[in-house]
Amino acid sequence: MKRKFITLIAATIVSSGVNAASDNTINFQGQVTDETCSVSVNGNSASPVVLMPTVSRSDLDASGKTAGQVTFDIGLTGCAGSTTETKISTVFVGNQVTSNGNLGNTGTASNVEVQLLDTTGGVINLTDGFTGDGDLTLAANQTEASSTYTAQYYATAPAAAGTVESTLQYAVSYQ
């Protein structure tokens, strides 16, 4: 499993630890696959940043309101190019997830979270992590693929002006 980091200016989530059987247990996880690819976010493989738009506080003046949608692409390049179609899933994991299943804000704006939407526009609940279940399909003999996700501001109450900052760990899993 390849792991990369995404910084969503206006979104925070850090990798959750593996639940260990005891305090002195080390868990190792990995994967061996016929396919490996380089992973990028919006074409950037090193410290990617997704800039969210500036929105008015009045756009987030009540609980449940959303604003400032921005898309970002999870892209694969340099794949081996199998002779058969390969299903690859995007995985999002974190431990600073709010009770709403959104990314918590570490910036100065209060009552604002960052909500992610999947490739079909459905709300992603990050409470137990998220797996895109084949959202990246690498066609036979192809070496590149991408999928588009969306981030948006989510109000938990009338928002107060300030910054919104978060980070999100992601991985891809080959099936």
Side-chain angles (χ1 to χ4, degrees), residues 110-175:
S110 59
N111 303 322
V112 179
E113 300 172 353
V114 174
Q115 185 175 65
L116 298 181
L117 306 177
D118 65 21
T119 58
T120 64
V123 173
I124 295 174
N125 185 329
L126 292 167
T127 301
D128 294 320
F130 169 79
T131 300
D133 194 25
D135 59 333
L136 290 159
T137 300
L138 190 61
N141 301 313
Q142 295 299 304
T143 60
E144 297 181 0
S146 68
S147 60
T148 301
Y149 286 89
T150 302
Q152 63 187 5
Y153 301 110
Y154 177 89
T156 59
T163 61
V164 181
E165 299 176 4
S166 293
T167 59
L168 171 68
Q169 281 195 347
Y170 71 95
V172 293
S173 176
Y174 303 90
Q175 301 169 346

Short mmCIF file of all heavy atoms in Angstrom, two decimals, residues 110-175:
data_model
loop_
_atom_site.label_atom_id
_atom_site.label_comp_id
_atom_site.label_asym_id
_atom_site.label_seq_id
_atom_site.Cartn_x
_atom_site.Cartn_y
_atom_site.Cartn_z
N SER A 110 -14.20 29.28 13.73
CA SER A 110 -14.92 28.32 14.57
C SER A 110 -16.20 27.86 13.88
O SER A 110 -16.73 28.53 13.00
CB SER A 110 -15.23 28.93 15.95
OG SER A 110 -16.00 30.09 15.82
N ASN A 111 -16.65 26.68 14.30
CA ASN A 111 -17.87 26.06 13.78
C ASN A 111 -17.78 25.68 12.31
O ASN A 111 -18.78 25.66 11.61
CB ASN A 111 -19.09 26.96 14.02
CG ASN A 111 -19.26 27.29 15.49
OD1 ASN A 111 -19.04 26.44 16.34
ND2 ASN A 111 -19.63 28.52 15.78
N VAL A 112 -16.56 25.40 11.85
CA VAL A 112 -16.35 25.02 10.45
C VAL A 112 -15.54 23.72 10.41
O VAL A 112 -14.53 23.59 11.09
CB VAL A 112 -15.61 26.11 9.66
CG1 VAL A 112 -15.38 25.68 8.21
CG2 VAL A 112 -16.36 27.42 9.70
N GLU A 113 -16.01 22.79 9.61
CA GLU A 113 -15.31 21.54 9.34
C GLU A 113 -15.10 21.45 7.83
O GLU A 113 -15.67 22.25 7.08
CB GLU A 113 -16.14 20.34 9.80
CG GLU A 113 -16.45 20.36 11.28
CD GLU A 113 -17.42 19.28 11.73
OE1 GLU A 113 -17.99 18.56 10.88
OE2 GLU A 113 -17.62 19.16 12.94
N VAL A 114 -14.33 20.47 7.40
CA VAL A 114 -14.19 20.22 5.98
C VAL A 114 -14.81 18.86 5.68
O VAL A 114 -14.48 17.86 6.31
CB VAL A 114 -12.73 20.26 5.51
CG1 VAL A 114 -12.61 19.84 4.06
CG2 VAL A 114 -12.17 21.66 5.70
N GLN A 115 -15.74 18.88 4.75
CA GLN A 115 -16.46 17.67 4.38
C GLN A 115 -15.94 17.20 3.02
O GLN A 115 -15.74 18.01 2.11
CB GLN A 115 -17.95 17.99 4.29
CG GLN A 115 -18.84 16.80 4.03
CD GLN A 115 -20.30 17.23 4.10
OE1 GLN A 115 -20.76 18.02 3.27
NE2 GLN A 115 -21.01 16.71 5.09
N LEU A 116 -15.72 15.91 2.89
CA LEU A 116 -15.29 15.34 1.62
C LEU A 116 -16.45 14.63 0.94
O LEU A 116 -17.29 14.02 1.59
CB LEU A 116 -14.14 14.34 1.84
CG LEU A 116 -12.87 14.90 2.44
CD1 LEU A 116 -11.82 13.81 2.58
CD2 LEU A 116 -12.32 16.06 1.63
N LEU A 117 -16.44 14.70 -0.39
CA LEU A 117 -17.44 14.02 -1.20
C LEU A 117 -16.72 13.03 -2.10
O LEU A 117 -15.63 13.31 -2.61
CB LEU A 117 -18.22 15.02 -2.06
CG LEU A 117 -18.88 16.19 -1.33
CD1 LEU A 117 -19.55 17.12 -2.32
CD2 LEU A 117 -19.87 15.69 -0.30
N ASP A 118 -17.34 11.87 -2.31
CA ASP A 118 -16.72 10.84 -3.14
C ASP A 118 -16.86 11.16 -4.62
O ASP A 118 -17.36 12.23 -5.00
CB ASP A 118 -17.28 9.45 -2.80
CG ASP A 118 -18.76 9.28 -3.11
OD1 ASP A 118 -19.32 10.04 -3.94
OD2 ASP A 118 -19.36 8.37 -2.53
N THR A 119 -16.44 10.24 -5.45
CA THR A 119 -16.41 10.47 -6.90
C THR A 119 -17.80 10.61 -7.52
O THR A 119 -17.93 11.08 -8.64
CB THR A 119 -15.65 9.33 -7.61
OG1 THR A 119 -16.29 8.09 -7.30
CG2 THR A 119 -14.20 9.29 -7.17
N THR A 120 -18.84 10.22 -6.78
CA THR A 120 -20.22 10.38 -7.27
C THR A 120 -20.93 11.55 -6.61
O THR A 120 -22.11 11.77 -6.84
CB THR A 120 -21.04 9.09 -7.04
OG1 THR A 120 -21.17 8.87 -5.63
CG2 THR A 120 -20.39 7.89 -7.70
N GLY A 121 -20.23 12.29 -5.74
CA GLY A 121 -20.82 13.43 -5.06
C GLY A 121 -21.45 13.09 -3.72
O GLY A 121 -22.04 13.95 -3.08
N GLY A 122 -21.33 11.84 -3.28
CA GLY A 122 -21.88 11.44 -1.99
C GLY A 122 -20.97 11.85 -0.85
O GLY A 122 -19.74 11.85 -0.99
N VAL A 123 -21.54 12.19 0.29
CA VAL A 123 -20.78 12.60 1.47
C VAL A 123 -19.98 11.41 2.00
O VAL A 123 -20.50 10.30 2.14
CB VAL A 123 -21.71 13.15 2.57
CG1 VAL A 123 -20.95 13.41 3.85
CG2 VAL A 123 -22.39 14.41 2.08
N ILE A 124 -18.70 11.64 2.28
CA ILE A 124 -17.84 10.62 2.87
C ILE A 124 -17.86 10.79 4.38
O ILE A 124 -17.57 11.87 4.89
CB ILE A 124 -16.39 10.75 2.36
CG1 ILE A 124 -16.33 10.48 0.86
CG2 ILE A 124 -15.46 9.83 3.14
CD1 ILE A 124 -14.96 10.71 0.25
N ASN A 125 -18.20 9.74 5.10
CA ASN A 125 -18.12 9.74 6.56
C ASN A 125 -16.79 9.09 6.92
O ASN A 125 -16.58 7.90 6.69
CB ASN A 125 -19.28 8.96 7.16
CG ASN A 125 -19.29 9.02 8.67
OD1 ASN A 125 -18.25 9.12 9.32
ND2 ASN A 125 -20.47 8.95 9.25
N LEU A 126 -15.88 9.87 7.48
CA LEU A 126 -14.53 9.39 7.78
C LEU A 126 -14.40 8.75 9.16
O LEU A 126 -13.30 8.39 9.56
CB LEU A 126 -13.55 10.56 7.68
CG LEU A 126 -13.35 11.10 6.27
CD1 LEU A 126 -12.61 12.43 6.31
CD2 LEU A 126 -12.61 10.10 5.41
N THR A 127 -15.50 8.58 9.87
CA THR A 127 -15.45 8.03 11.23
C THR A 127 -14.67 6.73 11.30
O THR A 127 -13.85 6.53 12.19
CB THR A 127 -16.87 7.84 11.79
OG1 THR A 127 -17.53 9.11 11.78
CG2 THR A 127 -16.84 7.31 13.21
N ASP A 128 -14.91 5.83 10.37
CA ASP A 128 -14.20 4.54 10.35
C ASP A 128 -13.26 4.44 9.15
O ASP A 128 -12.95 3.35 8.68
CB ASP A 128 -15.21 3.39 10.32
CG ASP A 128 -16.02 3.31 11.59
OD1 ASP A 128 -15.46 3.50 12.68
OD2 ASP A 128 -17.25 3.08 11.49
N GLY A 129 -12.82 5.58 8.63
CA GLY A 129 -11.99 5.59 7.44
C GLY A 129 -12.87 5.43 6.20
O GLY A 129 -14.08 5.29 6.29
N PHE A 130 -12.24 5.48 5.05
CA PHE A 130 -12.98 5.41 3.79
C PHE A 130 -12.14 4.66 2.78
O PHE A 130 -10.94 4.88 2.66
CB PHE A 130 -13.27 6.82 3.27
CG PHE A 130 -13.78 6.84 1.85
CD1 PHE A 130 -15.11 6.56 1.57
CD2 PHE A 130 -12.92 7.13 0.79
CE1 PHE A 130 -15.58 6.57 0.26
CE2 PHE A 130 -13.39 7.14 -0.52
CZ PHE A 130 -14.72 6.87 -0.78
N THR A 131 -12.77 3.76 2.03
CA THR A 131 -12.14 3.09 0.91
C THR A 131 -13.00 3.30 -0.32
O THR A 131 -14.20 3.00 -0.29
CB THR A 131 -11.97 1.58 1.18
OG1 THR A 131 -11.16 1.41 2.34
CG2 THR A 131 -11.31 0.87 0.00
N GLY A 132 -12.42 3.81 -1.38
CA GLY A 132 -13.14 4.15 -2.60
C GLY A 132 -13.61 2.97 -3.42
O GLY A 132 -14.22 3.16 -4.46
N ASP A 133 -13.36 1.75 -3.02
CA ASP A 133 -13.86 0.53 -3.65
C ASP A 133 -13.77 0.56 -5.17
O ASP A 133 -14.78 0.61 -5.87
CB ASP A 133 -15.29 0.24 -3.19
CG ASP A 133 -15.71 -1.19 -3.55
OD1 ASP A 133 -14.82 -2.05 -3.68
OD2 ASP A 133 -16.91 -1.44 -3.70
N GLY A 134 -12.55 0.56 -5.67
CA GLY A 134 -12.34 0.51 -7.12
C GLY A 134 -12.58 1.82 -7.83
O GLY A 134 -12.87 1.84 -9.02
N ASP A 135 -12.45 2.93 -7.12
CA ASP A 135 -12.70 4.24 -7.72
C ASP A 135 -11.67 4.61 -8.79
O ASP A 135 -11.92 5.44 -9.63
CB ASP A 135 -12.79 5.33 -6.66
CG ASP A 135 -11.53 5.44 -5.83
OD1 ASP A 135 -10.81 4.44 -5.68
OD2 ASP A 135 -11.28 6.54 -5.30
N LEU A 136 -10.51 3.99 -8.73
CA LEU A 136 -9.49 4.19 -9.76
C LEU A 136 -9.41 2.90 -10.58
O LEU A 136 -8.98 1.86 -10.07
CB LEU A 136 -8.13 4.46 -9.13
CG LEU A 136 -7.96 5.79 -8.44
CD1 LEU A 136 -6.82 5.76 -7.46
CD2 LEU A 136 -7.72 6.86 -9.48
N THR A 137 -9.84 2.93 -11.81
CA THR A 137 -9.78 1.74 -12.65
C THR A 137 -8.68 1.96 -13.68
O THR A 137 -8.73 2.91 -14.46
CB THR A 137 -11.12 1.49 -13.36
OG1 THR A 137 -12.12 1.30 -12.36
CG2 THR A 137 -11.04 0.27 -14.25
N LEU A 138 -7.70 1.09 -13.65
CA LEU A 138 -6.61 1.14 -14.61
C LEU A 138 -6.97 0.17 -15.73
O LEU A 138 -6.98 -1.05 -15.55
CB LEU A 138 -5.29 0.74 -13.94
CG LEU A 138 -4.02 0.96 -14.73
CD1 LEU A 138 -3.83 2.44 -15.05
CD2 LEU A 138 -2.83 0.44 -13.94
N ALA A 139 -7.34 0.71 -16.88
CA ALA A 139 -7.75 -0.11 -18.01
C ALA A 139 -6.59 -0.98 -18.48
O ALA A 139 -5.41 -0.66 -18.24
CB ALA A 139 -8.25 0.78 -19.15
N ALA A 140 -6.90 -2.06 -19.15
CA ALA A 140 -5.87 -2.96 -19.67
C ALA A 140 -4.87 -2.19 -20.52
O ALA A 140 -5.24 -1.33 -21.32
CB ALA A 140 -6.52 -4.07 -20.49
N ASN A 141 -3.60 -2.46 -20.28
CA ASN A 141 -2.48 -1.86 -21.02
C ASN A 141 -2.35 -0.35 -20.85
O ASN A 141 -1.66 0.30 -21.63
CB ASN A 141 -2.57 -2.22 -22.51
CG ASN A 141 -2.54 -3.73 -22.72
OD1 ASN A 141 -1.70 -4.42 -22.14
ND2 ASN A 141 -3.47 -4.23 -23.50
N GLN A 142 -3.00 0.22 -19.84
CA GLN A 142 -2.89 1.65 -19.55
C GLN A 142 -1.92 1.86 -18.39
O GLN A 142 -1.77 1.00 -17.52
CB GLN A 142 -4.24 2.25 -19.23
CG GLN A 142 -5.21 2.23 -20.39
CD GLN A 142 -4.69 3.01 -21.58
OE1 GLN A 142 -4.36 4.18 -21.48
NE2 GLN A 142 -4.60 2.35 -22.73
N THR A 143 -1.29 3.00 -18.34
CA THR A 143 -0.32 3.29 -17.29
C THR A 143 -0.72 4.47 -16.41
O THR A 143 0.02 4.86 -15.52
CB THR A 143 1.08 3.57 -17.90
OG1 THR A 143 0.96 4.70 -18.78
CG2 THR A 143 1.59 2.36 -18.67
N GLU A 144 -1.92 5.05 -16.66
CA GLU A 144 -2.39 6.19 -15.89
C GLU A 144 -3.88 6.09 -15.62
O GLU A 144 -4.63 5.53 -16.44
CB GLU A 144 -2.13 7.51 -16.63
CG GLU A 144 -0.68 7.80 -16.86
CD GLU A 144 -0.46 9.13 -17.57
OE1 GLU A 144 -1.44 9.84 -17.88
OE2 GLU A 144 0.71 9.46 -17.81
N ALA A 145 -4.32 6.63 -14.48
CA ALA A 145 -5.74 6.71 -14.14
C ALA A 145 -5.90 7.82 -13.11
O ALA A 145 -4.94 8.22 -12.46
CB ALA A 145 -6.25 5.38 -13.58
N SER A 146 -7.11 8.32 -12.96
CA SER A 146 -7.36 9.32 -11.92
C SER A 146 -8.82 9.26 -11.49
O SER A 146 -9.68 8.75 -12.21
CB SER A 146 -7.02 10.74 -12.39
OG SER A 146 -7.90 11.16 -13.39
N SER A 147 -9.08 9.77 -10.29
CA SER A 147 -10.45 9.93 -9.81
C SER A 147 -10.55 11.29 -9.13
O SER A 147 -9.58 11.80 -8.60
CB SER A 147 -10.85 8.80 -8.85
OG SER A 147 -10.00 8.78 -7.73
N THR A 148 -11.74 11.87 -9.19
CA THR A 148 -11.94 13.22 -8.68
C THR A 148 -12.82 13.20 -7.44
O THR A 148 -13.91 12.64 -7.45
CB THR A 148 -12.60 14.10 -9.77
OG1 THR A 148 -11.75 14.11 -10.92
CG2 THR A 148 -12.80 15.52 -9.28
N TYR A 149 -12.32 13.81 -6.38
CA TYR A 149 -13.04 13.98 -5.13
C TYR A 149 -13.33 15.46 -4.94
O TYR A 149 -12.78 16.32 -5.63
CB TYR A 149 -12.21 13.45 -3.95
CG TYR A 149 -12.18 11.95 -3.91
CD1 TYR A 149 -11.21 11.23 -4.59
CD2 TYR A 149 -13.14 11.24 -3.20
CE1 TYR A 149 -11.20 9.85 -4.57
CE2 TYR A 149 -13.14 9.86 -3.17
CZ TYR A 149 -12.17 9.17 -3.86
OH TYR A 149 -12.17 7.81 -3.84
N THR A 150 -14.18 15.77 -3.97
CA THR A 150 -14.55 17.16 -3.68
C THR A 150 -14.39 17.43 -2.20
O THR A 150 -14.68 16.57 -1.37
CB THR A 150 -16.01 17.43 -4.10
OG1 THR A 150 -16.15 17.13 -5.50
CG2 THR A 150 -16.42 18.87 -3.85
N ALA A 151 -13.94 18.63 -1.87
CA ALA A 151 -13.89 19.11 -0.49
C ALA A 151 -14.76 20.35 -0.41
O ALA A 151 -14.86 21.12 -1.37
CB ALA A 151 -12.46 19.45 -0.08
N GLN A 152 -15.42 20.54 0.74
CA GLN A 152 -16.24 21.74 0.94
C GLN A 152 -16.28 22.08 2.42
O GLN A 152 -16.08 21.22 3.27
CB GLN A 152 -17.66 21.54 0.40
CG GLN A 152 -18.45 20.45 1.09
CD GLN A 152 -19.78 20.17 0.40
OE1 GLN A 152 -20.09 20.71 -0.65
NE2 GLN A 152 -20.59 19.31 1.01
N TYR A 153 -16.53 23.35 2.71
CA TYR A 153 -16.72 23.78 4.09
C TYR A 153 -18.08 23.28 4.58
O TYR A 153 -19.04 23.25 3.83
CB TYR A 153 -16.69 25.30 4.21
CG TYR A 153 -15.42 25.95 3.74
CD1 TYR A 153 -15.40 26.71 2.57
CD2 TYR A 153 -14.24 25.84 4.48
CE1 TYR A 153 -14.24 27.33 2.15
CE2 TYR A 153 -13.07 26.46 4.05
CZ TYR A 153 -13.08 27.20 2.89
OH TYR A 153 -11.94 27.82 2.46
N TYR A 154 -18.14 22.93 5.86
CA TYR A 154 -19.38 22.46 6.48
C TYR A 154 -19.55 23.18 7.81
O TYR A 154 -18.64 23.15 8.65
CB TYR A 154 -19.30 20.94 6.71
CG TYR A 154 -20.51 20.36 7.41
CD1 TYR A 154 -21.61 19.93 6.68
CD2 TYR A 154 -20.55 20.25 8.80
CE1 TYR A 154 -22.72 19.40 7.31
CE2 TYR A 154 -21.65 19.72 9.44
CZ TYR A 154 -22.74 19.29 8.69
OH TYR A 154 -23.83 18.77 9.33
N ALA A 155 -20.67 23.86 8.00
CA ALA A 155 -20.92 24.61 9.24
C ALA A 155 -21.58 23.70 10.28
O ALA A 155 -22.52 22.98 9.97
CB ALA A 155 -21.83 25.81 8.96
N THR A 156 -21.07 23.77 11.51
CA THR A 156 -21.69 23.04 12.62
C THR A 156 -22.60 23.95 13.43
O THR A 156 -23.37 23.48 14.27
CB THR A 156 -20.62 22.44 13.54
OG1 THR A 156 -19.79 23.49 14.05
CG2 THR A 156 -19.76 21.43 12.78
N ALA A 157 -22.49 25.23 13.20
CA ALA A 157 -23.28 26.32 13.80
C ALA A 157 -22.89 27.55 12.98
O ALA A 157 -22.04 27.44 12.09
CB ALA A 157 -22.93 26.49 15.28
N PRO A 158 -23.47 28.72 13.24
CA PRO A 158 -23.01 29.89 12.49
C PRO A 158 -21.49 30.06 12.60
O PRO A 158 -20.94 30.06 13.71
CB PRO A 158 -23.76 31.05 13.15
CG PRO A 158 -25.02 30.42 13.66
CD PRO A 158 -24.59 29.06 14.14
N ALA A 159 -20.82 30.14 11.47
CA ALA A 159 -19.37 30.19 11.43
C ALA A 159 -18.84 31.55 11.87
O ALA A 159 -19.47 32.58 11.63
CB ALA A 159 -18.88 29.89 10.02
N ALA A 160 -17.69 31.52 12.52
CA ALA A 160 -16.96 32.74 12.83
C ALA A 160 -15.80 32.84 11.85
O ALA A 160 -15.20 31.83 11.47
CB ALA A 160 -16.44 32.69 14.26
N ALA A 161 -15.49 34.06 11.43
CA ALA A 161 -14.43 34.27 10.45
C ALA A 161 -13.09 33.82 10.98
O ALA A 161 -12.81 33.89 12.18
CB ALA A 161 -14.37 35.76 10.08
N GLY A 162 -12.24 33.33 10.09
CA GLY A 162 -10.89 32.89 10.45
C GLY A 162 -10.38 31.92 9.40
O GLY A 162 -10.97 31.74 8.34
N THR A 163 -9.27 31.30 9.70
CA THR A 163 -8.66 30.34 8.77
C THR A 163 -9.20 28.94 9.01
O THR A 163 -9.67 28.62 10.10
CB THR A 163 -7.13 30.32 8.96
OG1 THR A 163 -6.83 29.90 10.30
CG2 THR A 163 -6.52 31.68 8.68
N VAL A 164 -9.14 28.15 7.98
CA VAL A 164 -9.51 26.74 8.07
C VAL A 164 -8.32 25.95 7.54
O VAL A 164 -7.86 26.21 6.43
CB VAL A 164 -10.79 26.43 7.25
CG1 VAL A 164 -11.16 24.96 7.38
CG2 VAL A 164 -11.93 27.32 7.71
N GLU A 165 -7.83 25.05 8.36
CA GLU A 165 -6.66 24.25 7.97
C GLU A 165 -6.83 22.82 8.44
O GLU A 165 -7.33 22.58 9.53
CB GLU A 165 -5.40 24.83 8.62
CG GLU A 165 -5.09 26.24 8.21
CD GLU A 165 -3.89 26.83 8.94
OE1 GLU A 165 -3.25 26.09 9.71
OE2 GLU A 165 -3.62 28.02 8.74
N SER A 166 -6.39 21.89 7.61
CA SER A 166 -6.43 20.48 7.95
C SER A 166 -5.48 19.70 7.08
O SER A 166 -5.04 20.20 6.05
CB SER A 166 -7.83 19.90 7.77
OG SER A 166 -8.73 20.45 8.69
N THR A 167 -5.19 18.48 7.48
CA THR A 167 -4.41 17.58 6.65
C THR A 167 -5.12 16.24 6.59
O THR A 167 -5.93 15.92 7.46
CB THR A 167 -2.98 17.38 7.19
OG1 THR A 167 -3.06 16.86 8.50
CG2 THR A 167 -2.19 18.67 7.16
N LEU A 168 -4.82 15.48 5.56
CA LEU A 168 -5.47 14.19 5.35
C LEU A 168 -4.45 13.20 4.83
O LEU A 168 -3.75 13.49 3.87
CB LEU A 168 -6.60 14.34 4.33
CG LEU A 168 -7.27 13.08 3.81
CD1 LEU A 168 -8.07 12.41 4.93
CD2 LEU A 168 -8.18 13.42 2.66
N GLN A 169 -4.35 12.05 5.47
CA GLN A 169 -3.50 10.99 4.94
C GLN A 169 -4.33 10.15 3.98
O GLN A 169 -5.51 9.94 4.21
CB GLN A 169 -2.99 10.09 6.05
CG GLN A 169 -1.84 10.68 6.81
CD GLN A 169 -1.16 9.62 7.63
OE1 GLN A 169 -1.65 8.53 7.83
NE2 GLN A 169 0.02 9.95 8.13
N TYR A 170 -3.66 9.69 2.93
CA TYR A 170 -4.35 8.82 1.99
C TYR A 170 -3.42 7.75 1.51
O TYR A 170 -2.21 7.82 1.68
CB TYR A 170 -4.91 9.63 0.80
CG TYR A 170 -3.86 10.16 -0.14
CD1 TYR A 170 -3.53 9.45 -1.29
CD2 TYR A 170 -3.20 11.35 0.11
CE1 TYR A 170 -2.56 9.93 -2.16
CE2 TYR A 170 -2.24 11.82 -0.75
CZ TYR A 170 -1.92 11.11 -1.89
OH TYR A 170 -0.96 11.57 -2.74
N ALA A 171 -4.00 6.73 0.94
CA ALA A 171 -3.24 5.63 0.36
C ALA A 171 -4.03 5.10 -0.82
O ALA A 171 -5.19 5.47 -1.02
CB ALA A 171 -3.04 4.53 1.39
N VAL A 172 -3.40 4.26 -1.62
CA VAL A 172 -4.15 3.52 -2.63
C VAL A 172 -3.92 2.04 -2.36
O VAL A 172 -2.88 1.64 -1.86
CB VAL A 172 -3.72 3.86 -4.08
CG1 VAL A 172 -4.09 5.30 -4.40
CG2 VAL A 172 -2.26 3.62 -4.32
N SER A 173 -4.95 1.28 -2.63
CA SER A 173 -4.90 -0.16 -2.41
C SER A 173 -5.21 -0.86 -3.72
O SER A 173 -6.24 -0.61 -4.34
CB SER A 173 -5.93 -0.54 -1.35
OG SER A 173 -5.97 -1.94 -1.17
N TYR A 174 -4.30 -1.72 -4.15
CA TYR A 174 -4.47 -2.46 -5.41
C TYR A 174 -5.29 -3.71 -5.14
O TYR A 174 -5.07 -4.42 -4.18
CB TYR A 174 -3.10 -2.86 -5.97
CG TYR A 174 -2.20 -1.67 -6.20
CD1 TYR A 174 -1.34 -1.23 -5.19
CD2 TYR A 174 -2.24 -0.97 -7.38
CE1 TYR A 174 -0.51 -0.13 -5.38
CE2 TYR A 174 -1.40 0.13 -7.58
CZ TYR A 174 -0.56 0.54 -6.58
OH TYR A 174 0.24 1.63 -6.77
N GLN A 175 -6.27 -3.99 -6.02
CA GLN A 175 -7.14 -5.15 -5.82
C GLN A 175 -6.83 -6.22 -6.84
O GLN A 175 -6.38 -5.98 -7.90
CB GLN A 175 -8.60 -4.73 -5.91
CG GLN A 175 -8.93 -3.68 -4.88
CD GLN A 175 -10.29 -3.05 -5.10
OE1 GLN A 175 -10.90 -3.18 -6.14
NE2 GLN A 175 -10.74 -2.31 -4.11
#
